Amino acid sequence: MSMAFFPEGEGEARNCGRQGTEASMAERSPERPAKATGLMEVITGPENMKKALKRVMANAGAPGTDGMTTKELPSCLNRNWPRAREALLSGTYRPEPVRRVEIPKPDGGHRYLGIPTVVDRLIQQAILQVLTPVFDPHFSKASYGFRPGRSAHQAIAKAQSYVEEGKRWVVDIDIERFFDNVNHDALMARVARKVDDKVLLKLIRAYLKAGVMEGGLASPTEEGTPQGGPLSPLLSNIYLDDLDRELERRGHSFVRYADDCNIYVASERAGMRVMEGITDFLGKRLKLRVNGEKSAVAQAYERDFLSFRILGGKKTKRAISRKAKERFRRRVKEITRRSRGVSLERVVADLNVYLRGWIGYFGFCQTPSVLQDLDKWIRRRLRCLIWKQWRRGRTRYAGLRGRGLSISLAAFAAGSPFSHWRMSASVGLNAAFPASFFSVLGLISMEARCSA
């Protein structure tokens, strides 16, 4: 990134001085004192800001309430950064309200995201890069969400190991609207345990209270930490670290990924006792409520964790959850629907974009037969699409003959009164369009990428 990011002069430009979104894999810094001081100088320093800008530009993302895009950010900063930096260091910087966006949940309802302006995303990212080395080394080993070098796959594998040890009952805790209900005073008290920079503490609180813009009106936020900014995941881990420490103090085997927390025990009776104790702790110490409808004490194979399910006892398998498979089928149906009016090659290309991401996560399963079945189902969807696109009997007959089918088999298939879906499983279409046909088109095979 050009050093023009830090010019000496100022110019006329749209005001970006008051204006993340993934957690940065920040490098660990040398050991710091018990409380870090003078952090705002480090946060606003050239090297840290260049790194933050590179990250925000790579993440792109939607504009905030001011409509500014990431493409406009460098030129805006070239003219306005000195003024913005001065406001940050003096403690007079005021973040803009976030733009509220509703994201449908797979199982119904909505999740609300707060999209900061691109300049606020930049500043949050810069804060994140400096605070991660301050807090992360002290987090629990059982915490896996949004941390450097840790992943959902590691969390699932750890949960699997507890089940294989004989702890086959799980206390599945769902914290009710966690990101909306975080108490600001309690959160800031926890941040202040390791941060003694009053200007930085004031800035973090300002981000918590920046408010939400919806329908042209800004509403203040008295509690909660909106999902959508780079800083939110770190703040959630800071807040829930007390829960981790309490679980460790009680000697429990547990795994936490953000606000998803599973505790593994040897019996239902122990699980009920743990559920009662932790519900009480969350309410009194962290002012959080446990969602009674979504939380449960059950055998591990009955509950989903991070869209996986652990099957078996002494020898377990990681299986893809039913809901995840249902979401997968819905999305593939959307991509392969006839009404799109695009070529088969384009459909396969669009499928591959989705499949790469999906298998990158769910390829961690240990049930290759499930992926094999999904591969077959996708190919059947594509045969069905081809059959619909050909439409007329003459076109179908000519197409099948061109694919090497005999006169009798091509004529029988072309004249069949059966539905498109039934025909997609017929001998004729399977012979005309075998798995190798789709491989030549470049269709990804998921079974080959299973980790089992």
Side-chain angles (χ1 to χ4, degrees), residues 232-252:
S232 181
L234 176 62
L235 294 179
S236 69
N237 277 332
I238 292 172
Y239 197 74
L240 289 174
D241 189 56
D242 278 19
L243 171 62
D244 298 342
R245 297 305 174 192
E246 180 65 14
L247 292 171
E248 289 175 343
R249 188 186 68 79
R250 298 185 185 194
H252 292 316

Side-chain angles (χ1 to χ4, degrees), residues 18-21 41 81 105 157 173 202 207 212 226 246 251 286 311 331 338 413 432 445:
R18 293 180 56 192
Q19 327 301 104
T21 294
E41 289 286 348
W81 175 245
K105 289 184 177 180
I173 295 176
K202 180 180 178 182
Y207 273 118
V212 174
E246 180 65 14
L286 297 180
L311 306 179
R331 180 62 183 134
R338 178 188 175 188
S445 171

Side-chain angles (χ1 to χ4, degrees), residues 100-159:
R100 171 168 281 184
V101 177
E102 290 186 11
I103 306 295
K105 289 184 177 180
D107 54 352
H110 292 83
R111 174 182 290 107
Y112 295 100
L113 296 183
I115 308 300
T117 63
V118 292
V119 173
D120 279 327
R121 289 212 293 272
L122 172 73
I123 296 168
Q124 285 194 35
Q125 180 65 36
I127 296 172
L128 175 69
Q129 290 166 182
V130 172
L131 286 191
T132 295
V134 173
F135 285 94
D136 191 81
H138 305 283
F139 287 150
S140 168
K141 292 180 179 179
S143 167
Y144 291 87
F146 307 105
R147 296 184 59 192
R150 290 178 163 251
S151 68
H153 287 172
Q154 292 174 339
I156 296 160
K158 188 62 177 178

Side-chain angles (χ1 to χ4, degrees), residues 28-45:
R28 295 179 188 270
S29 66
E31 288 189 12
R32 295 178 181 271
K35 280 199 175 186
T37 60
L39 294 181
M40 284 305 298
E41 289 286 348
V42 180
I43 289 168
T44 60

Side-chain angles (χ1 to χ4, degrees), residues 35-254:
K35 280 199 175 186
T37 60
L39 294 181
M40 284 305 298
E41 289 286 348
V42 180
I43 289 168
T44 60
E47 292 306 314
N48 190 56
M49 292 306 301
K50 282 194 294 182
K51 183 179 176 182
L53 179 59
K54 184 177 181 180
R55 182 76 181 197
V56 170
M57 295 293 290
N59 287 340
T65 54
D66 62 353
M68 185 186 297
T69 66
T70 51
K71 290 182 179 179
E72 299 174 87
L73 181 58
S75 60
C76 174
L77 291 168
N78 281 338
R79 294 179 174 86
N80 293 280
W81 175 245
R83 193 165 46 211
R85 184 174 188 268
E86 182 180 345
L88 287 166
L89 292 174
S90 65
T92 59
Y93 181 86
R94 293 293 176 268
E96 296 287 350
V98 299
R99 180 168 66 88
R100 171 168 281 184
V101 177
E102 290 186 11
I103 306 295
K105 289 184 177 180
D107 54 352
H110 292 83
R111 174 182 290 107
Y112 295 100
L113 296 183
I115 308 300
T117 63
V118 292
V119 173
D120 279 327
R121 289 212 293 272
L122 172 73
I123 296 168
Q124 285 194 35
Q125 180 65 36
I127 296 172
L128 175 69
Q129 290 166 182
V130 172
L131 286 191
T132 295
V134 173
F135 285 94
D136 191 81
H138 305 283
F139 287 150
S140 168
K141 292 180 179 179
S143 167
Y144 291 87
F146 307 105
R147 296 184 59 192
R150 290 178 163 251
S151 68
H153 287 172
Q154 292 174 339
I156 296 160
K158 188 62 177 178
Q160 184 179 14
S161 73
Y162 287 139
V163 176
E164 291 185 344
E165 288 173 7
K167 298 171 182 176
R168 297 171 192 166
W169 287 83
V170 60
V171 182
D172 186 351
I173 295 176
D174 183 278
I175 300 174
E176 187 173 321
R177 298 176 60 209
F178 167 72
F179 286 93
D180 296 329
N181 291 325
V182 169
N183 181 275
H184 288 176
D185 289 337
L187 173 57
M188 291 309 303
R190 285 157 175 79
V191 175
R193 289 173 184 172
K194 294 190 178 301
V195 174
D196 200 27
D197 189 316
K198 290 182 171 51
V199 175
L200 176 56
L201 293 173
K202 180 180 178 182
L203 178 60
I204 294 172
R205 186 180 283 273
Y207 273 118
L208 293 174
K209 294 186 174 295
V212 174
M213 182 72 75
E214 194 171 21
L217 298 175
S219 304
T221 48
E222 298 303 325
E223 60 181 13
T225 169
Q227 299 181 72
L231 200 52
S232 181
L234 176 62
L235 294 179
S236 69
N237 277 332
I238 292 172
Y239 197 74
L240 289 174
D241 189 56
D242 278 19
L243 171 62
D244 298 342
R245 297 305 174 192
E246 180 65 14
L247 292 171
E248 289 175 343
R249 188 186 68 79
R250 298 185 185 194
H252 292 316
S253 299
F254 71 100

